[in-house]
Amino acid sequence: MTTREEVRRAGEAIREELFGAAGPAALANGVLGFGDLMAELVYAKVWDRPGLSRADRMAVTLGVLCAMQNGTQLRRHVGPALDLGLAPRAIVEILLQTGIYRGFAASETALEVALEVFAERGLRLDDLPREDPLQALAERGRELQAALHGERRHDGHAAPDNPVTGPIYPLVVQYAYGEIWDRPGLDRRVRALCAVACFAALNHDTLLRKFALSALNVGATREEVIEAIVQSGPYGGFAFMLKGLGIVGEAFADV
């Protein structure tokens, strides 16, 4: 593609492939060229980048939209996520996990949106009873911490002897790691990519650096981590995307 017109046509094709003729920005095509800008920058230049599958890009996008509490855009993306092959359970797990980072009020609102879309498509999710005792959660959480973070699992706020976070962090181990990260329906690699993208969008520098490295321990490649952050740009802000890429670039250079 050597001209903007070619880029625009390619982007419009990707947007229509994902969302249909009335997809995001289609209604804004006549408003100061916004639809054309979206076609070029978001779809042709971001969504069509190599290094991350379309399904993974959509998973990351859902996480960031939940983190940004953007229910309108989230509703527009849930249906296309299903069309790309993301299972309803996987979508639920992305939105639930994002609550660790943005708050469960954000998850609750996002889940309401997703369930409405599922109902419109005649999809139903069975309950997922989780009745493990607290001790089992704690043990599983420690195991998952080790798998994700390795020798860094006790750094900083996760240090057992941290006088400020030490009393509360076992709760994080039990529920964030031992319960949420261990739930079925979404593999750890995709969970890690969603976490990285959310941390970039939410401007969480310390956790972004930590999880960018940890993603490599659960099957993600460096290119996939970088692309997950790039994918966050149109939805969480290109400024935060660029800052996140700088942090991750430094982290990768150190290992």
Side-chain angles (χ1 to χ4, degrees), residues 223-236:
E223 184 178 19
E224 287 174 331
V225 171
I226 290 169
E227 288 303 316
I229 297 172
V230 171
Q231 185 68 22
S232 76
Y235 308 99

Side-chain angles (χ1 to χ4, degrees), residues 19-209:
F19 302 99
L27 298 178
N29 273 326
V31 182
L32 303 178
F34 180 70
D36 290 342
L37 178 62
M38 288 282 288
E40 292 179 41
L41 177 57
V42 177
Y43 298 108
K45 294 297 188 180
V46 174
W47 272 88
D48 204 37
R49 286 171 59 90
L52 198 63
S53 72
R54 288 271 171 86
D56 286 344
R57 288 188 183 278
M58 183 61 80
V60 164
T61 299
L62 293 178
V64 173
L65 289 174
C66 178
M68 297 291 98
Q69 301 184 71
N70 193 329
T72 300
Q73 288 292 332
L74 182 65
R75 168 174 278 281
R76 290 176 178 171
H77 284 73
V78 171
L82 294 167
D83 295 337
L84 280 172
L86 287 178
R89 177 65 65 189
I91 293 171
V92 165
E93 292 304 317
I94 292 166
L95 303 180
L96 195 156
Q97 180 181 324
T98 304
I100 303 172
Y101 317 127
R102 189 61 174 95
F104 287 111
S107 288
E108 185 175 14
T109 300
L111 288 168
E112 289 173 355
V113 170
L115 291 175
E116 288 173 1
V117 176
F118 296 165
E120 291 167 3
R121 292 195 173 206
L123 301 173
R124 180 179 177 276
L125 277 180
D126 294 329
D127 289 337
L128 184 64
R130 301 279 286 183
E131 301 296 340
D132 297 319
L134 292 176
Q135 183 58 36
L137 292 187
E139 292 173 0
R140 194 162 63 215
R142 289 191 290 269
E143 291 171 0
L144 210 151
Q145 264 190 304
L148 262 175
H149 305 306
E151 295 179 355
R152 297 175 294 107
R153 64 187 180 278
H154 295 315
D155 290 352
H157 61 259
D161 59 352
N162 187 307
V164 176
T165 59
I168 194 65
Y169 201 71
L171 188 65
V172 175
V173 174
Q174 279 184 314
Y175 283 95
Y177 290 105
E179 175 64 16
I180 294 174
W181 265 79
D182 188 65
R183 285 168 59 94
L186 191 67
D187 66 47
R188 291 178 183 178
R189 173 187 153 275
V190 178
R191 287 186 182 278
L193 293 176
C194 289
V196 164
C198 286
F199 290 139
L202 292 170
N203 205 26
H204 286 326
D205 299 2
T206 300
L207 290 174
L208 174 58
R209 179 183 177 90

